[in-house]
Amino acid sequence: MKTVLCMMMCVYFLGMTLVAQDRYFFSPATPGTSARMIRLGWVEGMSDKSDSVFENPAALYRVNSLSASFFTTQFMNEVNYLNGAIALRLPDQLGVLGLGFMTLGVNDIPETSKTETISGDPQYFISDYFNYENSLFKVSYQFSASRYVHYGISGSYYHVKFHTVEGKGYNMDLGMVLTNRTFDFSVMVRNFVSSNDIVYKDSYNVEGMEWNNSDGQVENLPLESVYSLRYKLRHFSFFGQLKSVGSN
């Protein structure tokens, strides 16, 4: 198992090519995975807690026994964001198992309809309300080749729902962390299964007629590569990061 994962990581880390995609899916992880990550300028892979399942699963090696995290905030007084994660070190040096979820949503979005007045002028009114919810679920496993080299792999489930439209998708992440007394180097490849995208279904039905324009539509899960470095000098730490999303 370890040999296969190491070979896969070598292929993606050393021979990776980025392909431009047309329509990218907006992941709920985009705003950030923790207050600490945002405070560091969105530098990933440096957490020592369970929220590493969202950044780099290889960083879970820093969990000693059990770790749990929770983060919530609100954007523009209406967009609700929260995430939670838990990580447990397995016995007999078998590694660390992590679980995480995050969701980004807006409640009570008005659905409008149109009628005509007696004079023929259009009149608009609120006919109903619906919610928007974009969710991500992670299952991660971390193992160490030595005290200096650590690997991780994650499975991701994406789900988005708004009004009568629902989208689902699956993908996987690979991570590696190299560390010593002077530096920590994190390498992460997210959504490396290029054939898996978000596929939408639309059940909209009005008076027996299906207006399901979103049915069968697809959004791409972009391939992301993240290279992060922490250099430790006495009482100071210096951070740097290079990140690519698709062709950007």
Side-chain angles (χ1 to χ4, degrees):
M1 177 67 175
K2 295 183 179 180
T3 303
V4 173
L5 287 176
C6 292
M7 292 176 62
M8 291 173 64
M9 294 181 71
C10 288
V11 169
Y12 281 96
F13 293 159
L14 301 179
M16 182 174 56
T17 58
L18 300 177
V19 180
Q21 304 283 357
D22 293 330
R23 292 175 293 180
Y24 288 155
F25 175 74
F26 180 79
S27 169
T30 302
T33 59
S34 68
R36 181 180 185 275
M37 172 196 172
I38 296 173
R39 189 170 68 247
L40 290 177
W42 275 267
V43 175
E44 302 183 41
M46 301 301 166
S47 175
D48 57 359
K49 297 180 175 59
S50 57
D51 53 23
S52 294
V53 300
F54 304 117
E55 301 177 23
N56 186 342
L60 289 171
Y61 83 92
R62 301 186 181 106
V63 174
N64 292 324
S65 55
L66 177 67
S67 174
S69 64
F70 182 79
F71 175 53
T72 182
T73 188
Q74 190 177 65
F75 305 104
M76 299 179 292
N77 296 321
E78 63 178 0
V79 182
N80 301 309
Y81 173 83
L82 65 89
N83 73 45
I86 186 170
L88 173 67
R89 179 165 291 278
L90 302 175
D92 301 324
Q93 298 183 346
L94 293 178
V96 178
L97 181 65
L99 301 172
F101 78 95
M102 59 172 53
T103 181
L104 182 74
V106 181
N107 297 326
D108 298 327
I109 302 173
E111 178 186 359
T112 59
S113 299
K114 183 180 73 171
T115 60
E116 291 185 358
T117 62
I118 298 177
S119 60
D121 297 326
Q123 183 178 27
Y124 300 91
F125 64 95
I126 297 176
S127 58
D128 201 357
Y129 293 88
F130 63 94
N131 299 332
Y132 167 84
E133 185 172 308
N134 190 338
S135 303
L136 170 62
F137 301 87
K138 291 272 191 180
V139 178
S140 302
Y141 173 67
Q142 180 276 326
F143 64 91
S144 300
S146 69
R147 61 181 297 185
Y148 305 109
V149 183
H150 312 276
Y151 301 101
I153 186 169
S154 293
S156 305
Y157 171 67
Y158 297 88
H159 180 263
V160 59
K161 180 76 167 66
F162 56 95
H163 199 224
T164 59
V165 179
E166 182 178 23
K168 298 179 181 179
Y170 306 86
N171 220 297
M172 299 187 71
D173 310 331
L174 284 174
M176 177 176 64
V177 173
L178 306 176
T179 182
N180 62 21
R181 297 180 62 181
T182 305
F183 70 88
D184 293 323
F185 181 58
S186 169
V187 185
M188 175 70 174
V189 175
R190 186 175 288 118
N191 299 326
F192 70 83
V193 183
S194 59
S195 59
N196 288 359
D197 299 315
I198 304 296
V199 181
Y200 289 91
K201 294 183 179 180
D202 190 348
S203 60
Y204 193 36
N205 186 289
V206 176
E207 297 179 354
M209 297 183 298
E210 293 186 356
W211 292 1
N212 52 355
N213 296 331
S214 299
D215 195 59
Q217 296 296 312
V218 175
E219 284 186 325
N220 306 119
L221 289 169
L223 176 67
E224 300 182 22
S225 59
V226 186
Y227 305 88
S228 307
L229 176 68
R230 172 168 58 186
Y231 178 72
K232 293 168 280 188
L233 180 63
R234 296 183 180 179
H235 303 293
F236 298 94
S237 292
F238 300 89
F239 296 86
Q241 179 169 277
L242 175 64
K243 180 176 182 179
S244 63
V245 180
S247 59
N248 302 315

